[in-house]
Amino acid sequence: MYGIVNQAIQGLVVENYGQDQWNEILKRSGIQETHFISNESYEDEITFELVAAASEVLKLKSEDVLEAFGKYWVLNTGYQKYGDLMKAGGNDFSEFMRNLPNFHGRIMLIYPKLCPPEFLIENLEEKKIILHYYSARSGLTHFVFGLIHGIAEMFKQKIEMQLVSSENTTTWHDTFLIEIID
Ligand code: HEM
């Protein structure tokens, strides 16, 4: 994945746990790079190793690291570095969700070698959404939980979200039910 993803894990750790913990995570992961370049591609393995090492060093479940990372991605990386793109995604939570399937199309203009996730939205009722997430990568379900909660927080929208099913065939496919709470 592009270096900006690994930079975000670094940002999340350094801001919340300090530089020493990050140094320890790098040491534990055995990764040689100490500095990631945002628009350079790195092996996906590096990102997964950083998450695994963060979970060991910070004594958190890897699901919790991925969720915190998803929220950080939206509220810090997305909102602070790409505010205009995030604003163009919609004016409220429902609109942002409706536009989510097209979101990474615009990101590909900045990161042309992107291997983006795919999203599909089904509106069950006015306040119930089914979100399908497809990926060439495995194991990012809790990252998606964090991302969607981050988007809800960005719009100060209370939601409930649950995983309905998970399939791992040639592509990873998670189905989530999201309820918008008044
Ligand atoms: C302006 C904000 C955003 C930028 C710049 C951005 C960019 C990226 C980049 C560079 C990657 C790494 C993929 C690669 O290198 O091949 C990625 C992955 C991903 N992004 Fe975004 N993204 C943004 C917002 C979002 C939002 C709002 C979501 C909402 C759900 C999202 C969902 C994901 C997921 C799930 C992945 C993991 C890749 C996978 O599942 O295979 N991103 N994004």
Side-chain angles (χ1 to χ4, degrees):
M1 289 200 241
Y2 273 106
I4 189 171
V5 175
N6 303 326
Q7 276 182 349
I9 301 181
Q10 178 173 6
L12 168 71
V13 172
V14 173
E15 283 168 36
N16 293 287
Y17 301 93
Q19 183 67 40
D20 289 351
Q21 295 288 71
W22 174 248
N23 294 344
E24 186 55 33
I25 288 166
L26 274 183
K27 205 163 103 192
R28 187 79 61 102
S29 67
I31 291 165
Q32 302 305 319
E33 277 92 351
T34 51
H35 182 75
F36 297 103
I37 298 161
S38 61
N39 59 354
E40 194 166 289
S41 284
Y42 296 83
E43 293 292 325
D44 282 0
E45 207 47 48
I46 292 189
T47 307
F48 287 107
E49 274 165 12
L50 287 174
V51 171
S55 144
E56 279 176 36
V57 171
L58 304 174
K59 298 184 175 45
L60 295 169
K61 287 193 278 182
S62 57
E63 288 101 297
D64 294 340
V65 174
L66 282 169
E67 269 195 56
F69 177 35
K71 269 194 171 188
Y72 185 91
W73 185 246
V74 167
L75 297 170
N76 296 67
T77 311
Y79 198 71
Q80 288 176 10
K81 291 197 179 156
Y82 296 98
D84 289 347
L85 269 174
M86 290 300 280
K87 281 192 195 113
N91 291 317
D92 60 31
F93 180 79
S94 303
E95 196 182 332
F96 201 99
M97 285 296 113
R98 277 201 300 280
N99 292 333
L100 195 56
N102 300 321
F103 194 87
H104 284 81
R106 286 184 289 251
I107 310 280
M108 287 190 88
L109 300 173
I110 317 173
Y111 295 104
K113 284 187 274 173
L114 195 76
C115 170
E118 275 185 43
F119 293 104
L120 201 101
I121 297 287
E122 285 177 63
N123 266 316
L124 286 184
E125 298 163 21
E126 205 196 328
K127 296 192 185 298
K128 276 192 188 171
I129 300 166
I130 293 282
L131 170 68
H132 296 274
Y133 156 68
Y134 304 89
S135 173
R137 305 176 172 99
S138 307
L140 291 174
T141 304
H142 286 268
F143 181 50
V144 178
F145 265 109
L147 288 161
I148 303 301
H149 279 103
I151 295 166
E153 203 172 310
M154 188 172 83
F155 291 112
K156 300 187 174 37
Q157 175 65 61
K158 201 167 173 305
I159 58 157
E160 271 172 24
M161 177 173 178
Q162 61 193 65
L163 182 64
V164 178
S165 66
S166 224
E167 282 170 67
N168 188 10
T169 47
T170 42
T171 47
W172 186 279
H173 174 199
D174 285 332
T175 307
F176 300 95
L177 172 65
I178 301 171
E179 269 185 81
I180 296 173
I181 315 286
D182 287 327

